[in-house]
Amino acid sequence: MRKFQYYLFPITFFCIVFGGFLIHVLTVDRPQSEMENRQLESANISPSVKEIFSGKWSKQVEAYISDQFPARDWWMRDYVFFQRAMGKTFLNDKYAVDEASGWIISKPAPAKNEQELASFATDLQKLSEVLATKNIPFTYYSLPAKATYSREPSPNFMPADAGIKNNAKLHRLLTAAGVDNIKLQDHMTDDFSAERNFFKTDHHWTMHGAYSGYEALITTLSDRLGEAIQPVTYVEANTTCLPNHFAGSWNKILYLTVENSDQICYNEPTSFATQFIIYDGTIEGGVTAPYEAIYGRAKQMDASMLVNYADAYSRDFAELTIVNKDYASDKHLVVIKDSYFNAIQFHVASHFKTLTILDLRYLEKDVISYLQSMQPDYVVLAYNDRNLRLMPE
């Protein structure tokens, strides 16, 4: 008996290590994490000699074991609960949570150095000047991001966020460089309210916030075009909301541990379903898609299913071309955008003969030469004000 006890510990240790290894090997690797919205490390089973001796392969192995660990999401979810129980301010070193309201606040952004802001301003200046040689006007719009304008409720010891100052510096640099620019928040006519304009658990704006941004964009753009373009009126009676639970982007990073009342809502004229011809790519490519396959796909989902922002409004396409059968302006507008624009892309499209939407994260074309060849009537770059690079993250 004493001899068995002597070997019990090493036997148990061996079973745990070997069993864990066996489970790891038998578990099918996942290509990406739905919660973290990123690619997971894959196994590199044939490393080069250089990778081995440089230490690169050992880091890959470490990342692979971490990313593909059995039941990783379950462990990570429990880790978030542990952090909350211990009273940690920034969960996963990213977000603070107000338990009473379910409101998630991002970790404050530091001040950007002049070099980083100047680099973005120079890129926009170059884009603006090259387009000007082809008589194509250009305007940069910064859209108010939740992370910049939603700072409460948060712990009173949380450092100040530098987002507003970063944005103001950028606009000053652009004005000095002769680039037409608009800080959209200054033109959103209703009383600006973070609670009304942004989701509690996601980094995007709600339909109400998106609509307010859309009205400001169309109003300022119509002044530049010299055309009397009136935004589609927000009719409260047209608002419809889904019963589905919302998988907010920040809540997903916290493994959906934050209880909240976020709800996906829509406000759009019924004519949107029939007045557009939508091309996934260019008109010449000829690949068309129905409205309901592009916008509001969550409307067709079962009420028990979780809905994220892309399902609710639109996923990101490298290029969409929207031809409008019932337009007020015969202009061809090009919008270079990030995901904030997705909720209002058809509202904007409803005014113009053609709207081309480009997402530089996925577009495999040189944007400057492509815009020159396209010869649109106007080009807009619309990024949320945390995106301070021409190639957004």
Side-chain angles (χ1 to χ4, degrees), residues 370-387:
Y370 187 47
L371 289 171
Q372 287 181 310
S373 66
M374 197 186 301
Q375 278 292 306
D377 296 295
Y378 211 103
V379 173
V380 163
L381 190 145
Y383 282 175
N384 82 75
D385 60 33
R386 296 301 249 217
N387 272 341

Side-chain angles (χ1 to χ4, degrees), residues 201-264:
T201 63
D202 192 279
H203 69 285
H204 295 101
W205 47 20
T206 61
M207 191 68 240
H208 193 287
Y211 218 102
S212 179
Y214 148 72
E215 291 178 321
L217 190 151
I218 289 299
T219 300
T220 53
L221 191 56
S222 67
D223 290 341
R224 281 159 170 72
L225 290 171
E227 299 182 13
I229 304 174
Q230 295 299 319
V232 177
T233 304
Y234 188 98
V235 180
E236 196 64 52
N238 288 345
T239 300
T240 58
C241 299
L242 300 182
N244 304 64
H245 288 296
F246 179 54
S249 58
W250 289 355
N251 202 10
K252 285 170 66 179
I253 292 174
L254 299 181
Y255 287 82
L256 300 179
T257 57
V258 181
E259 296 291 333
N260 65 90
S261 58
D262 275 341
Q263 197 172 21
I264 290 295

